[in-house]
Amino acid sequence: LAVTILFTAASAGPFIIPLERRIGTYDRLLAAPMSLLALLLGKAAVGVLFATAVSIVALAIGVFAFEVAIVQPWLLVAGLLLGSFSFSALGLVFGSIPTRNPGEVQMPSTLLRWGLLFISGVFIPLAEMGAAGRAVAYLSPLTYAYDLMNHAVLGIGLFSPWLDFALLLLSGLLFLLVSARMHQRSRRLGY
């Protein structure tokens, strides 16, 4: 589920914003009586909704077809929402690259997502990584989303669920602020 929300939530911004720039609707949104932050939160909400919908399908298959038990459902819901927010805000960072072609931002965005996938403990447990690998993994929001999913489904995780919550929220807010700065710079450049 953590990987599903990474790839779905983070793909919305890099596709939607450059496409809206190309067809001219982005300029109309910027001219609307709302702040840039409100606009970006709306774009982040699209990623959250998209990731949640796709995750519900994957979750339903896991629960009904493979009889996976969810030990702590509230952790699962919170993890899906916070992880989706963090990854959607990460996608907005790439969406704020000044271009009108979604293809120009999809490649670097996908490269980063694949990198996060391999360093986040999904394939190699953090306990088996070297010190340098763990240090890099601790910087990835996927590490904390994955840990939260482990708490929800298996009942155990490496970190405290509260630490996972805090770091997912913090990373999402950080990505949102970086995206806002990049959008302001892009507007000054005429994009």
Side-chain angles (χ1 to χ4, degrees):
L1 287 175
V3 173
T4 299
I5 61 174
L6 167 69
F7 277 91
T8 53
S11 66
F15 182 77
I16 293 170
I17 295 172
L19 185 64
E20 286 181 342
R21 282 188 183 123
R22 183 187 319 165
I23 61 176
T25 57
Y26 190 70
D27 293 331
R28 283 183 263 165
L29 288 171
L30 290 173
M34 70 177 135
S35 68
L36 177 61
L37 186 60
L39 174 65
L40 292 176
L41 283 171
K43 300 292 182 197
V46 169
V48 170
L49 290 174
F50 179 51
T52 301
V54 171
S55 294
I56 287 172
V57 171
L59 182 61
I61 291 170
V63 169
F64 297 116
F66 298 107
E67 299 178 3
V68 173
I70 300 169
V71 178
Q72 298 180 27
W74 72 273
L75 280 180
L76 183 68
V77 171
L80 283 173
L81 294 176
L82 277 173
S84 295
F85 168 69
S86 180
F87 301 139
S88 184
L90 174 63
L92 291 177
V93 171
F94 286 94
S96 53
I97 294 172
T99 183
R100 288 178 166 77
N101 184 3
E104 291 177 13
V105 293
Q106 286 293 342
M107 180 60 79
S109 171
T110 301
L111 268 168
L112 177 73
R113 286 181 288 185
W114 278 104
L116 290 177
L117 179 63
F118 287 108
I119 64 158
S120 297
V122 173
F123 295 122
I124 302 170
L126 294 180
E128 295 178 16
M129 286 185 186
R134 274 194 309 274
V136 174
Y138 294 150
L139 298 174
S140 168
L142 181 57
T143 300
Y144 305 103
Y146 177 67
D147 190 61
L148 208 47
M149 300 301 163
N150 281 337
H151 278 289
V153 176
L154 302 174
I156 57 168
L158 191 58
F159 309 111
S160 160
W162 296 109
L163 179 65
D164 294 333
F165 288 145
L167 291 173
L168 284 172
L169 183 60
L170 182 66
S171 64
L173 293 173
L174 178 67
F175 295 142
L176 196 61
L177 290 174
V178 169
S179 177
R181 294 281 183 170
M182 290 178 69
H183 275 301
Q184 289 169 345
R185 183 176 180 274
S186 295
R187 288 173 67 187
R188 283 194 301 270
L189 293 174
Y191 282 94

